[in-house]
């Protein structure tokens, strides 16, 4: 009895694996109509900023009003 249950379980697992491996997308689908996902990736050529440079950018943003503008956008309603 245990051997037959084991055999059925092994068969079910092996067929599920084959069905999963064969689930390829059709090649004749219009790629322009499919949904695309955007993923952020760091710029490989981006220069690492020093602490002083970041502080300078922050001071410039505060003086120009960018920080206040962003705070008004994200203050919650």
């Amino acid at each position: 009895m245990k051997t037959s249950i084991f055999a059925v379980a092994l068969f079910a697992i092996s067929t599920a694996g084959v069905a999963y491996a064969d689930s390829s997308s059709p090649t004749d689908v219009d790629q322009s109509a499919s949904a695309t996902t955007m993923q952020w990736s760091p710029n490989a050529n981006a220069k690492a900023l020093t602490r002083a440079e970041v502080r300078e950018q922050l001071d410039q943003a505060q003086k120009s009003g960018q920080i206040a503008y962003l705070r008004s956008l994200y203050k919650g309603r």
Side-chain angles (χ1 to χ4, degrees), residues 19-63:
Y20 179 74
D22 191 34
S23 64
S24 60
S25 61
T27 57
D28 60 347
V29 175
D30 182 17
Q31 295 296 329
S32 64
S34 65
T36 59
T37 58
M38 299 293 288
Q39 182 177 357
W40 178 85
S41 61
N43 185 358
N45 299 326
K47 180 187 114 181
L49 298 176
T50 65
R51 188 178 291 239
E53 291 170 331
V54 171
R55 186 57 148 153
E56 183 180 336
Q57 287 180 354
L58 178 61
D59 290 340
Q60 289 175 355
Q62 286 174 335
K63 289 177 185 174

